[in-house]
Amino acid sequence: MIKPRLSACLGLAAFLRCRASADPAQTIVRVRTVDGSILRVEIPSDGETSTLSAVLDSAGLDYDESNGLKCQIGLPGRPGSCNLDLSNGDHREKTVGELGLTHGSMITITRPTKKS
């Protein structure tokens, strides 16, 4: 009979305690930048009124209106997925609640497509 190693059990116990003590109201969304890196952004517990602009600012992204960046909320082809133009002030001022962002949601920043 193989006995589990005590250190492995203690590691699992510590992990579970850590997860149990995490703030359940914490919402983290992921932002995939143009270069492909993924940033994690914490949205405050009262974050339903936070805007897309505030989320992108928290990620440290520079989205000058002249660069024509776009963003996709969610995964392509999935329900609730949408594309927004970051040069449009109305799109940047949409709230987390309006966009349906929840814990683990993905925001993908894309360059404009070149037309030939």
Side-chain angles (χ1 to χ4, degrees), residues 39-98:
L39 307 170
R40 294 166 45 107
V41 177
E42 181 180 341
I43 296 175
S45 57
D46 61 345
E48 283 290 310
T49 58
S50 294
T51 62
L52 177 60
S53 178
V55 172
L56 298 178
D57 286 344
S58 294
L61 296 178
D62 178 25
Y63 52 90
D64 183 350
E65 290 182 21
S66 64
N67 63 15
L69 290 178
K70 305 206 180 298
C71 80
Q72 177 181 314
I73 307 294
L75 299 172
R78 297 270 174 100
S81 174
C82 67
N83 293 305
L84 301 172
D85 182 353
L86 294 178
S87 64
N88 182 330
D90 291 338
H91 288 180
R92 288 192 317 271
E93 295 309 311
K94 287 187 178 273
T95 66
V96 167
E98 291 173 329

